[in-house]
Amino acid sequence: MSKIARRKFIQLSAAAATGCLAISGRDALADDLPHVSESDGMAMAMKYTNDASTVDPASRTNPAAEQNCANCALIQGNDGDAWRPCQIFPGKAVNAKGWCSVWAPKA
Ligand code: SF4
């Protein structure tokens, strides 16, 4: 291997390793969050459920048709993840298929 090829190999390896660390760190953060429990006091106050399909649409303040945590403006984290951080429940993760009375449409 030439000096230039070896240098390029080392640079690419370092970049790849940095990318792997960044991705695994982000995933670990989301995965490590405890899940919001439906019986938690705050969750009960917000009428949080892990399954939005169990909520009677007539009971919602906002009448938008399909409401779940995945399409709420307050959800955080990565699209497609089953459990994601939410601004209403700091330090915890909500179910992407869940719902609570604070649901708001994304802009
Ligand atoms: Fe789900 Fe939105 Fe309620 Fe958070 S604020 S629990 S994302 S519906």
Side-chain angles (χ1 to χ4, degrees):
M1 186 181 288
S2 72
K3 265 187 168 180
I4 293 174
R6 185 169 43 232
R7 184 177 303 148
K8 193 69 179 171
F9 173 77
I10 292 170
Q11 288 172 343
L12 290 173
S13 297
T18 303
C20 289
L21 289 174
I23 289 170
S24 63
R26 183 187 67 209
D27 289 346
L29 178 62
D31 290 345
D32 290 346
L33 291 176
H35 297 171
V36 171
S37 167
E38 293 174 335
S39 61
D40 175 82
M42 175 77 165
M44 290 177 70
M46 299 298 162
K47 300 179 181 174
Y48 172 80
T49 175
N50 288 324
D51 184 358
S53 70
T54 62
V55 179
D56 178 2
S59 70
R60 297 173 178 157
T61 305
N62 187 328
E66 186 176 330
Q67 299 182 9
N68 56 51
C69 293
N71 63 21
C72 175
L74 301 172
I75 196 79
Q76 300 174 315
N78 303 316
D79 286 342
D81 285 356
W83 291 87
R84 298 170 59 181
C86 165
Q87 295 176 43
I88 297 298
F89 298 100
K92 295 186 177 179
V94 298
N95 193 308
K97 295 178 181 174
W99 179 89
C100 88
S101 60
V102 183
W103 183 92
K106 289 184 178 178

